[in-house]
């Protein structure tokens, strides 16, 4: 009998996770079933309990349930604890639920392994201060950048993140107007606005010579942020498809203790 996994979310129809994990399972000869579960906004804890009571081995969690999953986990990895959000749950032998957050690992893996970017010693700007951003700060700081600046419309939210991660590296916060006169080697968009064609107010001279830009969102065509990046001289203007695949690979590794190869899948999905 195959082990069962799922992804919980609302909406969930768009999710590519089942396809990705089925690919990983076939590649590594793992016997598992992975599907997606549309979950009522007020019914996540009940759906989660039912899934594991019926023998589920693990699950991914997407919007809007990552913070609830964090609260329901019996144990938390360091990454999940600081992120305040869980996107991967594993049922342990004792029945407890282990909560992880693989978003940051997925982002850094895509930047370093796939895009061949070196983050050490670089000036990095992170746009936004929501859950997606919070989940990636720790892994970025672990790469020893010269500095990480979190910019957000509501400065208080950015300041809160800077305080939470202050012991992990050189991290500061500001509002968008304070970006004037500053330049960065890497700019990461952690807001979802660019999928709707919207952008934060970014100065035209934000990018240092040879700078790269990365949108954590992904789309079948260039996002508004990618378009902005290309028109302002970015040498790389990538979207988050690689991050999606790499965070899934990390979750698969947590569950199955084997790491799938991701490169061919990225090309197929692209």
């Amino acid at each position: 009998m195959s082990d069962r996994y799922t992804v919980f979310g609302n909406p969930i129809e768009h999710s590519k996770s089942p396809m990705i994990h089925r690919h990983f399972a076939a590649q590594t000869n793992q016997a598992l079933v992975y599907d997606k579960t549309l979950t009522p906004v007020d019914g996540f804890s009940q759906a989660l309990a039912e899934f594991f009571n019926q023998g589920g081995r693990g699950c991914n969690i997407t919007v809007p349930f990552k913070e609830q999953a964090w609260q329901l986990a019996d144990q938390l990895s360091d990454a999940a604890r600081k992120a305040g959000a869980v996107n991967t749950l594993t049922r342990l032998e004792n029945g407890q639920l282990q909560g992880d957050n693989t978003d940051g690992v997925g982002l850094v893996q895509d930047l370093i392994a796939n895009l061949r970017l070196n983050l050490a010693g670089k000036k990095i700007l992170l746009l936004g201060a929501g859950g997606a951003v919070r989940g990636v700060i720790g892994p970025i700081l672990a790469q020893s950048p010269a500095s990480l600046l979190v910019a957000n419309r509501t400065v208080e939210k950015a300041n809160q993140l800077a305080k939470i991660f202050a012991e992990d590296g050189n991290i500061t916060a500001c509002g968008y107007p304070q970006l004037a006169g500053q330049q960065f080697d890497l700019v990461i968009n952690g807001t979802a606005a660019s999928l709707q064609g919207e952008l934060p107010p970014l100065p035209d001279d934000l990018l240092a010579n040879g700078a790269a830009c990365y949108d954590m969102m992904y789309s079948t065509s260039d996002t508004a942020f990618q378009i902005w990046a290309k028109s302002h001289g970015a040498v790389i203007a990538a979207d988050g498809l690689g991050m999606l695949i790499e965070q899934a690979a990390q979750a698969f590794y947590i569950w199955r203790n084997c790491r799938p190869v991701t490169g061919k899948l990225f090309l197929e999905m692209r």
Side-chain angles (χ1 to χ4, degrees):
M1 183 176 177
S2 297
D3 294 332
R4 186 180 170 216
Y5 299 86
T6 194
V7 55
F8 291 98
N10 188 335
I12 199 63
E13 186 60 36
H14 68 286
S15 176
K16 293 180 170 58
S17 292
M19 180 187 70
I20 293 172
H21 282 278
R22 289 167 192 160
H23 178 98
F24 290 162
Q27 179 194 116
T28 58
N29 295 314
Q30 296 285 307
L32 62 86
V33 174
Y34 189 113
D35 55 26
K36 49 191 172 186
T37 303
L38 177 64
T39 312
V41 173
D42 60 352
F44 174 65
S45 60
Q46 180 180 348
L48 193 68
E50 290 176 356
F51 172 75
F52 283 112
N53 287 339
Q54 293 169 5
R57 293 289 303 275
C59 62
N60 289 128
I61 302 96
T62 186
V63 176
F65 303 120
K66 290 185 180 183
E67 291 182 1
Q68 274 186 265
W70 186 87
Q71 295 168 343
L72 292 169
D74 300 299
Q75 301 179 28
L76 293 168
S77 67
D78 289 342
R81 178 177 54 81
K82 278 203 165 182
V86 159
N87 76 338
T88 302
L89 283 170
T90 308
R91 188 178 187 276
L92 304 177
E93 293 297 327
N94 62 6
Q96 290 192 328
L97 296 182
Q98 166 75 29
D100 290 278
N101 190 308
T102 65
D103 287 334
V105 172
L107 170 64
V108 169
Q109 180 71 7
D110 194 32
L111 290 170
I112 294 175
N114 300 330
L115 298 175
R116 302 286 189 252
L117 294 175
N118 179 16
L119 307 189
K122 298 298 194 296
K123 290 184 64 178
I124 301 176
L125 172 63
L126 192 49
L127 304 174
V133 166
R134 183 165 173 166
V136 304
I137 290 175
I140 290 174
L141 289 174
Q143 296 300 312
S144 302
S147 62
L148 176 62
L149 177 61
V150 180
N152 192 52
R153 293 186 190 278
T154 307
V155 183
E156 290 77 12
K157 289 185 178 180
N159 281 329
Q160 183 181 20
L161 293 184
K163 290 177 183 177
I164 291 171
F165 291 92
E167 63 185 27
D168 294 341
N170 181 14
I171 178 172
T172 54
C174 73
Y176 292 128
Q178 286 70 52
L179 293 176
Q182 301 194 62
Q183 288 193 321
F184 299 89
D185 304 304
L186 172 63
V187 180
I188 301 171
N189 180 33
T191 75
S194 70
L195 291 181
Q196 282 75 50
E198 300 174 3
L199 284 175
L202 303 176
D204 289 333
D205 58 352
L206 188 66
L207 304 182
N209 187 39
C213 289
Y214 190 97
D215 197 331
M216 288 168 59
M217 301 298 111
Y218 63 91
S219 176
T220 53
S221 57
D222 282 353
T223 67
F225 179 69
Q226 286 178 281
I227 294 170
W228 178 91
K230 290 178 179 179
S231 68
H232 287 78
V235 296
I236 292 175
D239 72 0
L241 179 61
M243 174 182 172
L244 173 73
I245 295 171
E246 297 296 345
Q247 66 81 24
Q250 179 67 14
F252 191 89
Y253 174 73
I254 290 170
W255 292 330
R256 312 301 295 185
N257 199 33
C258 66
R259 189 173 296 281
V261 178
T262 56
K264 185 179 178 182
L265 177 59
F266 179 85
L267 292 175
E268 289 178 359
M269 291 182 67
R270 183 60 76 197

